[in-house]
Amino acid sequence: MVKFGRHLQFYLESDEQSSGSEPFIVPYTDIRENIVQSQAHFSHAWRASLKAASDDYTHRVRLLWEQIFDGLFRLSGLEEQEHRGLPHDDAIQLYVSTMSESRSRDLFTSIKKIHSSASMNTEALRKLVKKFDKGAVDRDDDMLTSTLIPELYSAPFMAYPTLEGHIETLRDSLAVEEEEEELDEDSVMHSIRQRTTLSTKDSTDVKRRADELSWLHDMLARSIPDSEIPRLVAHRGFHCPRDNSGKRPLENSLSAFESAWSAGIHLCECDVALTKDEQLVLAHDEDFSRLALDPSKICSKKKVGDLTMKEIISLTFKSGSRPPLLLDVLRSAQAIGGFARLVIEIKPGNQEACTALIRLFRQYPELIERCAVIMSF
C-alpha cells in the first residue's frame, strides 16, 4: 500500500509536468509536521489550507463557466436571448455540439484537473485531522474531528462530485468509437507492416528470434519445476532488457506478452498509463522516446497523458508495432486462455488510471479473470 504522503508527492510531480496553471494542493507533509508542535499551530495551518483550497476551487470553477459561456455566445455566435438561464448540463452539451473537438477536449482536461485536485485536497485535510486525533490523548490535546471536519465538509470544493456528471457528458461525447478506430488502426498497421516487413533473405535474424523462443520453451520445460512456474512473472513480457536486441519482442508490446504466455508462463507484469482521451495504454516511461522507431517525432516526446488514441496508433516502436492498449492485451490473454493473466501496475498518484480501469472492467466483466493483481507501490 502506498502511503498517502507519497501518493500525493507522485501526484504533484506528475501535475508539475502538465500544461497550464497548477491548482492549489494542500501541503500535507508540512502540516503533518505541525502535529507535534501544538494544537494551535496545527489548527492554524489546517484552516489556512482549507481556505486556500476553497478559494482556488471557487476561482477555477468560475473561470471554467466563463470559458463555456464565452465560447457559446461570443465564439460560436449563438443568441444569448434564446438560451436564457441555460442549465449547466445543457450548457455542457451545447458547448460540445457547437465548439471544436480541440476546445471540448481542453474543457474536458480542465474539469478533470479541478475534480482531481479537489478530491486530493479533501482527502489530505481529512487524513490530517485523523492523524492529529490519533495521538491527541497522549499529547494531552483536544480531539479535532468534531470541530474541523464540519468545516471541511461545508467547504466550497466539497461540491466537486457535481463535476463528475459533466466529466461523463464530455467523456461520452468525446469517446473513441472502437469500431472506427479499429478501421483506422488496420490501415495504419498495414502501412507499418509494409515498411517493417523483414526481407525473405534475412533468414539470420529470423533464426535468432526462433532460437530465443526455443530457449524460453526449453527453460520452462526442463529447468524450472512445475510448482515454481505459477510464481514466475514475466516483467513487461518476454523482452530484451536493452530495449531491442532484435532477438526478442520489445517490452510492453503485445508480442512480448503473447510470447511469454504461449511458452507457458502464467503471469506477465505491465505498466499502464492514461491517454488524453482516457484510453489505458501500456507504458513504463512518461513518454515513448526510448522505444520509438523515430525518437525525434513529436508524438515520441510527448507525455503519454498528452497523447490521443489517434496519436498512439500512429506511433511506431523500434519493432514496427505500436503501443498496445490494455484492452488489447487482456483480450489476447483471454484468447490464449489457461493460466494467462496480467499483473497490472499503476504508478502512485495516478487516480484517473484507477478510475479508467474500473470503467474498463465494468464494460468488459469477462476480462476480470485475466487480471491476477493490480498493484501500486
Side-chain angles (χ1 to χ4, degrees):
M1 177 182 291
V2 180
K3 294 283 188 179
F4 181 76
R6 186 163 177 258
H7 173 71
L8 185 59
Q9 185 58 40
F10 275 101
Y11 173 84
L12 287 169
E13 289 173 357
S14 173
D15 208 43
E16 282 173 0
Q17 298 169 14
S18 61
S19 57
S21 61
E22 306 309 324
F24 173 82
I25 297 296
V26 170
Y28 178 84
T29 304
D30 293 343
I31 298 177
R32 187 181 60 191
E33 292 173 356
N34 283 313
I35 291 176
V36 297
Q37 295 184 25
S38 71
Q39 181 170 318
H41 275 91
F42 174 83
S43 297
H44 176 76
W46 188 93
R47 285 189 168 109
S49 285
L50 177 69
K51 183 179 186 307
S54 297
D55 291 346
D56 183 72
Y57 177 85
T58 301
H59 173 69
R60 289 179 181 276
V61 171
R62 184 173 63 250
L63 290 179
L64 182 78
W65 286 109
E66 288 175 355
Q67 172 192 339
I68 291 171
F69 280 91
D70 180 67
L72 288 176
F73 299 127
R74 186 178 67 83
L75 299 179
S76 69
L78 291 177
E79 290 294 333
E80 190 167 350
Q81 179 66 20
E82 297 178 8
H83 300 282
R84 300 188 307 275
L86 192 63
H88 48 67
D89 287 337
D90 294 346
I92 294 285
Q93 291 175 353
L94 190 59
Y95 187 92
V96 173
S97 64
T98 56
M99 304 303 291
S100 67
E101 181 181 344
S102 175
R103 285 185 178 274
S104 295
R105 288 202 182 280
D106 288 344
L107 178 67
F108 183 48
T109 301
S110 297
I111 295 180
K112 287 202 301 177
K113 195 169 188 176
I114 294 171
H115 179 275
S116 62
S117 61
S119 171
M120 195 68 71
N121 285 336
T122 299
E123 192 65 3
L125 290 167
R126 185 190 68 80
K127 282 185 174 290
L128 283 166
V129 175
K130 181 180 179 181
K131 190 169 288 289
F132 181 92
D133 282 359
K134 183 178 180 180
V137 174
D138 294 337
R139 296 190 309 271
D140 200 25
D141 286 329
D142 296 330
M143 301 281 283
L144 295 178
T145 293
S146 61
T147 303
L148 297 185
I149 294 299
E151 294 181 27
L152 170 62
Y153 290 172
S154 59
F157 60 86
M158 285 302 297
Y160 77 88
T162 61
L163 298 176
E164 292 168 5
H166 307 325
I167 291 172
E168 286 302 318
T169 297
L170 287 161
R171 181 177 288 126
D172 291 342
S173 301
L174 299 170
V176 175
E177 291 294 336
E178 189 174 322
E179 293 182 1
E180 180 182 335
E181 289 296 338
E182 285 178 354
L183 290 174
D184 290 342
E185 178 183 344
D186 286 342
S187 61
V188 173
M189 291 306 295
H190 177 69
S191 65
I192 290 174
R193 291 189 187 102
Q194 285 183 322
R195 294 196 305 268
T196 59
T197 299
L198 290 170
S199 168
T200 54
K201 297 179 181 179
D202 199 3
S203 58
T204 303
D205 283 348
V206 173
K207 186 178 185 306
R208 290 171 67 201
R209 294 189 182 98
D211 288 344
E212 284 294 296
L213 285 174
S214 295
W215 170 83
L216 177 63
H217 283 260
D218 290 345
M219 181 189 66
L220 291 169
R222 301 176 184 178
S223 303
I224 300 177
D226 290 345
S227 59
E228 295 299 320
I229 289 179
R231 299 184 178 91
L232 293 179
V233 179
H235 186 239
R236 304 179 210 166
F238 177 60
H239 73 283
C240 175
R242 294 184 299 278
D243 298 339
N244 190 15
S245 66
K247 297 189 294 183
R248 297 182 183 181
L250 206 60
E251 68 171 60
N252 272 333
S253 64
L254 197 54
S255 57
F257 297 105
E258 290 173 344
S259 296
W261 285 324
S262 298
I265 292 177
H266 294 190
L267 301 174
C268 287
E269 182 267 356
C270 69
D271 310 273
V272 296
L274 198 63
T275 65
K276 187 175 183 179
D277 46 4
E278 298 202 316
Q279 300 296 309
L280 281 167
V281 65
L282 269 59
H284 176 268
D285 302 344
E286 66 175 28
D287 60 42
F288 288 114
S289 58
R290 179 169 60 88
L291 304 178
L293 182 64
D294 183 0
S296 65
K297 284 186 67 174
I298 294 176
C299 288
S300 304
K301 295 184 286 188
K302 267 188 177 182
K303 281 186 63 182
V304 178
D306 292 332
L307 292 169
T308 63
M309 180 61 189
K310 189 173 182 179
E311 290 173 312
I312 290 287
I313 289 175
S314 69
L315 203 160
T316 310
F317 276 165
K318 296 173 183 177
S319 59
S321 62
R322 64 163 173 83
L325 296 179
L326 176 61
L327 181 60
D328 299 333
V329 184
L330 287 168
R331 282 175 168 167
S332 282
Q334 185 182 39
I336 291 170
F339 295 102
R341 293 192 295 168
L342 273 179
V343 174
I344 301 172
E345 180 181 347
I346 299 175
K347 299 300 182 186
N350 199 344
Q351 284 181 302
E352 293 184 359
C354 297
T355 306
L357 186 57
I358 292 170
R359 285 199 305 273
L360 185 146
F361 284 136
R362 281 178 178 168
Q363 187 174 0
Y364 303 100
E366 70 277 9
L367 296 179
I368 294 177
E369 66 178 2
R370 293 300 152 190
C371 177
V373 177
I374 299 171
M375 64 181 183
S376 183
F377 60 90

